[in-house]
Amino acid sequence: SSQIYPILLPREMRTRRALLICNIEFEHLSHRNGAEVDVEGMTKLLEGLGYVVDIHRNLTSQGMAAVMNDFADRKEHRTSDSTFLVFMSHGVRAGLCGTKSRDETTDILSLGAIYKTFDNKHCQALLGKPKVVIIQSCRGGTIGSVMVSDSTNPAMPAPSSAHAIPAGLEDDSICEVHLESDFATLHSSTPDTVSWRSPVEGCLFIQRLIEQFRNHACDSHLQEIFRKVQYSFAKFPRQLPSQERTTMLRKFYLFPGH
């Protein structure tokens, strides 16, 4: 179908590559306990989806930019049908924190830099191919929930168990064609809000994303899987993953024709 991204090469000839950058240790910010669990889980997931995963840890914003440029130049993209770009770090509204970050303006990789590196001008080997961006980070310091009431004269309701912070979680609070197309992005939270992470089990977002991909990648297209990830947070109002800057022109099935 013209409405589905084509996968033209058989599995044995495909050279799918994925990039995973995870910052855990910082000079001035807190250690991201549990993040190594996320690296292991995402690596296993992506390998199961047929991607060779390039893993990088503990980079400055300049280091992240250099790694992205090198990855965008990989010749394997020519015989691939797609890529995954996974970023996990502390974050602010403007982007992802590098390991030397002190605040919202120092050592920050802007989100725009990700899209520019892999757009159709700078990464032509991925022209017309899905570029899936997964970002696990805080995007500000605001709690993502609000108390509401249907009363005409509402009093603030008592906190319910759904609004309590679960035990063991930490605040993780940086020819003529379209220039930018075929991106699908899922952030771990909405703008200005925090994401939550267990020091033992890793980030809630990564846990639930892995679960939904494992259950539905065989028969659901990418954006439907993203919606299922979002729905899994329906009863956890402190965090809601957000699909943003999505420019997919077709449906992307990781296993079409299954």
Side-chain angles (χ1 to χ4, degrees):
S1 169
S2 62
Q3 298 297 307
I4 297 174
Y5 282 99
I7 296 179
L8 301 176
L9 295 174
R11 178 183 289 268
E12 60 272 14
M13 296 178 63
R14 243 181 267 153
T15 55
R16 284 179 169 176
R17 305 288 304 208
L19 175 65
L20 193 160
I21 296 175
C22 183
N23 289 339
I24 302 174
E25 299 175 357
F26 298 80
E27 292 186 10
H28 308 288
L29 305 177
S30 61
H31 190 284
R32 296 183 62 248
N33 296 308
E36 197 61 53
V37 177
D38 298 329
V39 173
E40 181 179 358
M42 283 301 302
T43 301
K44 288 182 178 178
L45 174 68
L46 291 169
E47 288 177 344
L49 296 174
Y51 295 84
V52 175
V53 187
D54 293 1
I55 303 172
H56 301 269
R57 296 175 176 83
N58 302 326
L59 301 174
T60 64
S61 58
Q62 287 185 336
M64 288 189 278
V67 163
M68 288 195 303
N69 285 327
D70 289 344
F71 184 77
D73 288 338
R74 293 199 72 105
K75 64 181 185 301
E76 290 91 342
H77 295 316
R78 300 171 191 167
T79 47
S80 178
D81 51 64
S82 57
T83 191
F84 273 72
L85 309 167
V86 182
F87 302 88
M88 298 186 280
S89 184
H90 286 304
V92 296
R93 183 67 169 86
L96 297 157
C97 295
T99 53
K100 296 182 181 296
S101 180
R102 292 176 178 269
D103 51 39
E104 294 191 4
T105 60
T106 59
D107 198 20
I108 303 297
L109 178 75
S110 72
L111 298 179
I114 299 172
Y115 299 97
K116 183 176 181 179
T117 302
F118 294 96
D119 68 19
N120 293 329
K121 177 180 179 181
H122 298 94
C123 186
Q124 295 188 10
L126 287 170
L127 174 65
K129 302 173 183 179
K131 295 165 279 284
V132 183
V133 183
I134 305 294
I135 300 178
Q136 164 59 52
S137 73
C138 284
R139 307 178 71 188
T142 304
I143 300 298
S145 62
V146 62
M147 297 296 191
V148 296
S149 171
D150 288 336
S151 169
T152 57
N153 185 22
M156 183 64 72
S160 68
S161 59
H163 290 76
I165 301 174
L169 291 184
E170 297 177 350
D171 180 346
D172 200 19
S173 62
I174 288 192
C175 65
E176 186 176 20
V177 297
H178 298 288
L179 176 61
E180 181 179 309
S181 65
D182 309 297
F183 283 96
T185 303
L186 189 63
H187 287 268
S188 59
S189 61
T190 50
D192 301 313
T193 62
V194 299
S195 297
W196 297 94
R197 170 174 41 82
S198 163
V200 176
E201 297 179 345
C203 296
L204 284 182
F205 169 68
I206 297 297
Q207 293 173 43
R208 296 183 183 187
L209 183 145
I210 290 172
E211 179 184 11
Q212 295 303 322
F213 267 88
R214 285 178 174 166
N215 290 339
H216 301 290
C218 63
D219 56 14
S220 296
H221 64 82
L222 180 77
Q223 287 173 274
E224 176 62 13
I225 299 173
F226 279 2
R227 187 197 62 77
K228 292 177 185 294
V229 176
Q230 292 175 291
Y231 184 75
S232 73
F233 282 80
K235 295 185 178 180
F236 185 66
R238 288 179 174 264
Q239 181 177 345
L240 180 62
S242 175
Q243 296 190 53
E244 297 177 24
R245 201 159 173 168
T246 294
T247 53
M248 298 285 274
L249 302 177
R250 310 180 188 186
K251 295 178 180 179
F252 177 38
Y253 288 90
L254 286 148
F255 302 101
H258 178 80

